[in-house]
Structure formats: structure tokens, C-alpha cells
Amino acid sequence: MNRALQSDLHPDAESLNAFMEEALAIPERARILDHIAGCSRCRQIVFLSQQASADVAQPVAVPASISRPEAWYRNWSLNWRLAWAPAAAFALIVALAVFVHLRRVPGAGEVARVAPPVQHQVPLSSPLEAASETPAHQPAPVAPLKSAKKNPAPPRVPEPARELLSETPSSGAMASEPGAARPDYAEPPVAAASPGVFGQGAPANTPLQLRPEPAEAAWQAQREQADAEVSRASKAARTTQARLSAKMEQSQASRTLAEKAAPARGSEAKSALEGSFEPAPARSLTYDLDSLAVTPKAEAATLPGGLAVLSSATIHHRAVAIDLAGALFVKEGLAGTWEPVVRQWTGRLVQVRVEKPQDASKSANATAPPPATATFAIVNAGDQVWTSEDGRTWKAR
Amino acid sequence: MTPAQSVRDTAATGFDAAPCVVHAALLDELWQECDAAAWGLTRAEFDRILGSAAAAPHFGLRPEEAATRQQQAAWFRALKLNDLLLARACAAGDKHAWERFVALYKQSLLRAAIAITGNETVGRDLADQLYAELYGLTERDGQRRSPLESYKGRGSLIGWLRTTLAQRHVDHFRSTRHEEPLADYDAPATDPAPVTPSTELQLLGSAVEAALRAQPADVRFLLASYYIDGHTLAEIAHTIGVHEATVSRKLHRAVDALRKQVLRNIERSGLSRRAAKEALGADPRDLDINLKKLLQNPPPETFQEKAAL
């Protein structure tokens, strides 16, 4: 008879339970393990009891042991103590990520809410389609103006982030520098809500600030795409920053020119009625910062350089024009193409006009074409004048 | 005999041996720490129970040694003292202790029995039977006896109850397993011409037997639990208190070590290494090996099971 099958040779319930609860000393535990390794009955008891303990929850009112805590409790607390370190590190990383995100997001978030959705990202297939669809694209930059005007209270930068950042000494220094690139949180709320056209979103008492803004940059990108599709003759791509600086200079020049040309507006209108030449400076006189917006009219007068016409003049189907960058172009006939003129002058050209002889100005017939001796004249920002008869060869006066 | 009367005769019934002397200061300290007074145990009964509980094991020391106060305190604090007091008081028939025992463990006992048997009806029968025994309906020599007397407080009382339930269920299942109708018993046909295994297979069987018997207890427990009983790694890990991955790793190493040991045993028998490898690749069904018997290595010492009365 197998001795191991005798019931009085098995460990009792006390020992088996103590073995499962790891309450035995090492020698006694080894004895129990040695027995249950060869006794299927005791193994079965141990596994059944273990299964029952897993299935049945512990009674709620079990008296607390005064000797030592339960094994599962010790394991549980030990595991959680070890888990605190990576959990705390993970929480710290998340907090840093949120902080950095909040620090960068406010300006972009406001622009994203105000800026219109880009509707014509698909490139046009032909110049004809481009020309026909260009007017439909033009209101796109204007839309933010309407949405901005509809919102009397523009979104503000979250206060906690702002307060936190304003405590840093560098933020105040950046905000005090007019030319420095300031972070978005340092901008006034109204300027931050500007849709991108200079001066449109600023309050009346706020000085005009020519700063690159996120919405304006997006609008510039759209305009570049439209210009490229319409003109198709652009030779050199200009960066957004260069175009912006050109506009800034041009706007200042146009202001100066407008102030100077204001008294002469009456005489030029009179001469136009006499039919001697077209009122070329009229466009420059009405040019202001708002004209930088792409309008159908400006698009139609775009020169090969990709910029709009600043000033133009015509003598016998020969036209001479200056674009916003000060480049001079000449065109022969109505169906001709604009050709750039080699630079023979100094400074930045701001005006082109037609000068006629003294006797021609006294002609009674206002509708008659100007005489053959009429010449083109270009004026730079320093009021220096160059004249030409064919628009290609210029001589200083 | 009421429980209240019987508890006064605790010394007469006797637990294991005559109560030993416990330091009075330690008794005061333990009395303050335990919650026995909350359910009606008196100080005199408390002192008597602790003295009798510590008598037989003699605080884990040899009988000729005298236990110091620190040794006594360490021994008592290693026990589930509250559970021990409750069990001993219930075994002695204390009414308040029994009410507390019922409030704490009756439902747990029933749920454990249902979980062990896997059947509510059988589980209720098992729980009711043990419940009656715990109350002391069994009498021996004119005195009521309860299985709670065998509880020594080394593990929790609820764990002891679960293990006792499992013992009863397994013993009952094993005793009734062979009580099957003959019509359902399909006896295997006897082999008319037993084939004598080849020399290689005999060597292989001997090598496997020697290798299995040489394995330590923990490895044999893992092998038997996983390959014979079919328990999962999680169940084995829960039983021996280690991680599941540890069990998997130990099992993998044990199988590798066993294979190498079998190979070495075959080589010692006189076969070459190549022949030993070929013998190791034999069909296991051709081997006349009873793994249960091989793993069932009887322990050198016997256990006296006194719980089942």
C-alpha cells in the first residue's frame, strides 16, 4: 500500500493553510512543499482552497490581525510604492507638455478662429481658368475683416498663462521694443484678432503697426498663389518678407507723394480734360495702405514683376508703368507685352508722367492726341526727374 | 450543557497540554491589543486560552528551554491572535464567540464551499456539514469536540476554513470516485502478447525515473502541477506566492535540466551520445513510465492530520 495515500500521513489544514499564506518557517515550508510535490490529494486541496480564496471576497468585518499585515496587502503596497516613481515622472512630463503648449498656442488659436478657411488650394489648370476664378478668390482676404467686425469682443489670451509669462523679465523688454518680434501673447487683443490687412483690425487710436501677423502671412500665401496663376510671367519668386518690406517702403513713399501731389491734383485733372495725357498720378494719389489688398482692379493691372501698377503713362500706344517695387516697364501697343527697362536712374521711382511742350499745353483741342514731341518723365523718391521719348532711354533732367 | 458552562470547563476539556506560564506584562499588553473584550471574552478566559495555546509548541523552543518575554512576545505576535482566541472560544462553547463567528464567517464559509464544489447544492451540503461539526455536535468520550480546536493561529481563520472545506470535498470525491456503475465502466482489453521493450527503451525509462527522483521538491511540484494536474501558470504562481513569469522561467529551466539529466543518465548506461539522443527521441507512448508514481516521492516525515474527526 502506498504510504502517501494514507490520510494520517498528510499535513493538516493548519499547515496547508499556513503554507499558502506563507506563514511557515523555511524548513517546515520545504517539508510541506516536498510532500505536496508528490501528493496529488494535498495539491488538489491547496489549489481548490486557493481557487476559493480568489473567488470569494474576504469578509468585511474580519478582525484585524495584531501580528502583521496580510501578504496580499504587503505585496499591494510594495507594488504601488514602486509604481509611484514612473507615474510621477509621467505626470511631470505631461504637465510640462501642457505648459509649453499653453505658452505657444494663444495667438495661433485666436488666428485660427478668425481666419477664413482656405477655399482655393487646388491649383488652377489654365490661365483662363485662373483669370476667370480670380475674382471669386478675391473676397477671401476680406472675409476675416467681416468676421472680426462681427465679434466686438475678440478672444483674449488665457489669463493664467499671461500672468505667468508677464512675471518674466524678458517679456516686458520684448513688449517695449517696437521693432522686435514680439510673442503673440504680448500683442494687444484687438491686434491679435486682426485678419491680416494692415490697419483694418486696429482701433482708431492705435498707431499703424506693420508687423508680420499670422493671418496676414496666410493671406500673403494666398495672394502669392493667385498672382502666380494670373501673371504666369513672374521671373523670380519673391519671399513674403521681401514683399512685405517693399510694401512698407512703398506705402511710405506713396504717402509722401500723395502729400506733395495733392495741390497739383486740380491742374492734372484739368490737363486730362484737355486730352493731353492720361492722369497717371491719380492712382498713386489714391494709393494707401488699404490698396495693398488684392482687388480685381489691382489684379488686372499687375506687371510682370508680380506687383500692381503704381503709376503709368501713355503716348501714342506706348505705355510706361512703374510697379510697387519701383521697377519700370514699357509696352508697345495695346496688345504688346510689358518689357522691363534697364535701370538708368537712381533711387526709387514713384511716378511716371507725360510732359509736353509749352505750346502743346495751350492747344484748344483737349481731345487731340499729344504732339510727337511729348516725352515721358519719371520721378524718384528724391524728386529727381528723368525724361525719355521712347520709354527705354532715359536722361536726367 | 450550554456553551457558557462549557467554557468554564476549558481546563477540564484541555486543548493540547497543561497551560504554560506567560509573562503577566505580556498578557496585559496582548489583552490591550486584541479585540476579544469586544465580543465578551473575559480576561481570565483570555489568559487561559493563551496559556494552553502556547503549551504544546512551547513558543517554538525545545522543551527544556525557558522562553524569555521577548521570545514569548515574538511567538504570539507571529500568530493570528484574534482568530485564535475566537476559534478557541468557539471550540469551548462560548456563546458570544459563536455569535461573532457566525456573523463573520458563515456567509464566507458558504461561498467558499460553493466555489470549491462548483455546485450550489453540493456546496451548501458541504458547508452545513462542516458548520455543524464546528459547532461541536460531534462528541467523543461524552465531550463535545470541534475541529476548531486544531486551529493554531499560524494562518488566518478564513483560510483554515477554506482548506478544511477543500479537504472534506477532496476526501469525499476520492472515496466515491470508484463508485460507478459497471455498465459505464469500459475496462481496457488485456494485451494478449505483451511486448518486451527494447534495450534502449528500458534504458530510457530508467534514466527518466532516476532524473525525476533526483529533482528537488519545488521542481517536482512545478512539474506535477503543470504537466499532471494541468494547472495554469497563474494558479501555480498564486499558490506558491511568486510571479507568473517566475513560474514559467523555472518550469522552462526544469525541463531543460531534466532533459540533460536524462541524456547523461543514458550515456552512463553505456550508450554513445548519438545513441542517447536517438533514444531520447523515442515515442513516449512506448515507454512504460508512470509519471505520477515517479513524482510521488513519499516524504521522509509523516504528517499527523488531526483535523478530521
Side-chain angles (χ1 to χ4, degrees):
Chain A
M1 182 178 178
N2 194 345
R3 296 192 323 157
L5 295 179
Q6 297 177 10
S7 61
D8 58 345
L9 299 180
H10 297 292
D12 57 1
E14 171 83 14
S15 300
L16 290 178
N17 178 46
F19 169 80
M20 284 184 286
E21 295 185 356
E22 301 178 11
L24 293 176
I26 293 177
E28 192 172 3
R29 178 178 175 81
R31 272 202 313 142
I32 300 292
L33 185 64
D34 189 60
H35 174 83
I36 64 175
C39 179
S40 59
R41 174 207 179 248
C42 290
R43 272 203 314 273
Q44 197 171 2
I45 290 171
V46 167
F47 280 107
L48 275 177
S49 178
Q50 202 75 50
Q51 176 188 346
S53 69
D55 293 344
V56 180
Q58 293 281 348
V60 178
V62 168
S65 173
I66 61 173
S67 57
R68 59 179 181 179
E70 297 287 342
W72 68 268
Y73 173 77
R74 284 185 280 123
N75 294 335
W76 178 86
S77 61
L78 179 64
N79 292 338
W80 274 103
R81 265 180 282 164
L82 294 176
W84 276 122
F90 179 73
L92 182 62
I93 292 172
V94 170
L96 283 175
V98 170
F99 174 72
V100 172
H101 179 69
L102 289 178
R103 185 174 179 178
R104 291 181 178 176
V105 151
E110 291 168 357
V111 171
R113 267 178 283 166
V114 175
V118 178
Q119 298 177 354
H120 47 284
Q121 292 295 329
V122 179
L124 301 176
S125 58
S126 66
L128 183 59
E129 290 179 2
S132 62
E133 291 186 17
T134 299
H137 296 164
Q138 299 312 317
V142 186
L145 292 175
K146 296 178 181 177
S147 61
K149 290 176 181 176
K150 287 179 182 176
N151 298 328
R156 300 177 63 86
V157 177
E159 290 300 330
R162 176 183 282 181
E163 291 174 357
L164 183 63
L165 293 170
S166 62
E167 293 176 357
T168 60
S170 59
S171 61
M174 285 193 296
S176 62
E177 296 175 4
R182 301 190 305 176
D184 292 340
Y185 60 81
E187 295 178 0
V190 175
S194 171
V197 178
F198 297 149
Q200 292 293 335
N205 55 354
T206 304
L208 189 62
Q209 298 176 359
L210 299 180
R211 285 199 312 259
E213 297 183 4
E216 202 271 339
W219 171 73
Q220 286 291 343
Q222 295 177 9
R223 187 187 167 201
E224 286 177 4
Q225 183 180 0
D227 291 345
E229 292 168 354
V230 170
S231 63
R232 297 180 61 84
S234 177
K235 295 179 180 178
R238 297 172 181 271
T239 60
T240 304
Q241 187 63 30
R243 186 174 299 176
L244 186 63
S245 62
K247 288 176 186 175
M248 294 169 60
E249 296 176 1
Q250 190 63 39
S251 62
Q252 294 176 355
S254 64
R255 281 182 177 176
T256 306
L257 186 61
E259 292 173 356
K260 291 182 178 179
R265 178 180 293 183
S267 61
E268 289 179 356
K270 184 179 178 181
S271 62
L273 289 175
E274 292 173 356
S276 58
F277 56 91
E278 66 175 332
R283 181 174 178 81
S284 64
L285 290 174
T286 58
Y287 174 77
D288 57 6
L289 293 177
D290 294 343
S291 66
L292 288 176
V294 179
T295 61
K297 186 176 179 180
E299 282 293 327
T302 302
L303 291 174
L307 299 178
V309 175
L310 176 63
S311 177
S312 64
T314 305
I315 300 176
H316 293 300
H317 303 295
R318 176 177 294 163
V320 175
I322 302 173
D323 67 359
L324 294 176
L328 186 64
F329 298 88
V330 62
K331 183 174 73 172
E332 296 290 340
L334 294 176
T337 57
W338 290 102
E339 297 176 6
V341 179
V342 179
R343 185 178 182 88
Q344 303 160 36
W345 55 89
T346 60
R348 181 185 183 83
L349 299 181
V350 296
Q351 184 186 16
V352 57
R353 62 180 182 237
V354 176
E355 290 185 353
K356 60 182 181 178
Q358 293 298 326
D359 52 350
S361 62
K362 297 177 181 177
S363 174
N365 189 4
T367 60
T373 55
T375 58
F376 293 102
I378 54 177
V379 182
N380 68 358
D383 285 339
Q384 293 176 309
V385 180
W386 287 263
T387 59
S388 172
E389 293 182 358
D390 57 355
R392 298 179 187 275
T393 304
W394 296 86
K395 294 180 181 177
R397 177 178 294 176
Chain B
M1 183 175 65
T2 63
Q5 291 171 337
S6 66
V7 77
R8 285 192 291 269
D9 301 332
T10 304
T13 58
F15 286 111
D16 290 321
C20 65
V21 178
V22 182
H23 284 265
L26 179 61
L27 286 175
D28 292 339
E29 191 177 337
L30 295 175
W31 172 254
Q32 296 295 329
E33 291 176 358
C34 72
D35 58 351
W39 47 268
L41 191 71
T42 63
R43 175 60 190 270
E45 293 163 355
F46 174 81
D47 293 349
R48 193 180 307 124
I49 289 175
L50 286 194
S52 60
H58 194 60
F59 305 105
L61 304 174
R62 285 178 292 188
E64 64 272 15
E65 293 182 14
T68 63
R69 183 183 182 278
Q70 286 76 18
Q71 289 172 332
Q72 290 183 359
W75 189 82
F76 276 119
R77 292 184 194 285
L79 300 179
K80 309 283 185 184
L81 199 56
N82 279 322
D83 289 353
L84 178 64
L85 290 170
L86 183 63
R88 291 298 173 96
C90 287
D94 186 80
K95 181 181 176 183
H96 302 291
W98 184 253
E99 289 174 353
R100 181 170 179 81
F101 178 84
V102 170
L104 290 178
Y105 298 114
K106 186 176 183 181
Q107 291 302 318
S108 302
L109 195 66
L110 178 60
R111 288 197 299 268
I114 294 174
I116 287 171
T117 59
N119 184 295
E120 184 173 357
T121 304
V122 179
R124 284 185 182 277
D125 290 345
L126 181 64
D128 290 344
Q129 184 182 358
L130 180 62
Y131 193 69
E133 290 186 21
L134 292 175
Y135 185 72
L137 293 182
T138 306
E139 291 190 0
R140 182 181 298 175
D141 300 333
Q143 293 180 347
R144 50 183 296 176
R145 303 298 300 267
S146 170
L148 286 170
E149 295 172 6
S150 63
Y151 177 69
K152 300 182 183 65
R154 289 192 292 180
S156 66
L157 184 56
I158 183 65
W160 179 86
L161 290 172
R162 280 195 297 260
T163 308
T164 304
L165 280 174
Q167 272 185 338
R168 303 294 172 89
H169 176 66
V170 170
D171 290 342
H172 176 74
F173 176 78
R174 286 180 167 244
S175 62
T176 60
R177 182 179 55 176
H178 301 293
E179 297 175 0
E180 297 175 358
L182 292 176
D184 298 338
Y185 181 69
D186 186 14
T190 56
D191 195 351
V195 179
T196 305
S198 63
T199 308
E200 288 79 7
L201 289 179
Q202 287 180 351
L203 290 176
L204 179 60
S206 302
V208 169
E209 184 176 349
L212 282 175
R213 290 191 186 280
Q215 296 300 315
D218 56 341
V219 172
R220 284 190 290 112
F221 173 74
L222 288 179
L223 294 173
S225 301
Y226 189 76
Y227 289 108
I228 295 178
D229 298 341
H231 293 296
T232 63
L233 294 177
E235 290 172 345
I236 299 172
H238 193 200
T239 300
I240 59 178
V242 297
H243 197 270
E244 188 177 346
T246 305
V247 175
S248 175
R249 189 171 56 250
K250 283 187 174 181
L251 204 56
H252 186 73
R253 290 177 182 172
V255 171
D256 284 347
L258 198 59
R259 183 179 292 110
K260 291 178 182 176
Q261 185 63 38
V262 169
L263 204 59
R264 280 195 294 269
N265 290 345
I266 296 175
E267 287 179 356
R268 285 174 191 163
S269 302
L271 293 182
S272 65
R273 187 169 187 82
R274 182 177 179 181
K277 286 186 177 179
E278 288 180 358
L280 200 59
D283 191 344
R285 291 171 295 187
D286 296 337
L287 288 176
D288 187 17
I289 294 177
N290 190 340
L291 287 178
K292 277 190 176 180
K293 289 181 179 177
L294 289 178
L295 291 172
Q296 193 169 305
N297 194 11
E301 299 180 44
T302 58
F303 297 91
Q304 295 297 327
E305 191 174 26
K306 296 182 291 184
L309 299 175

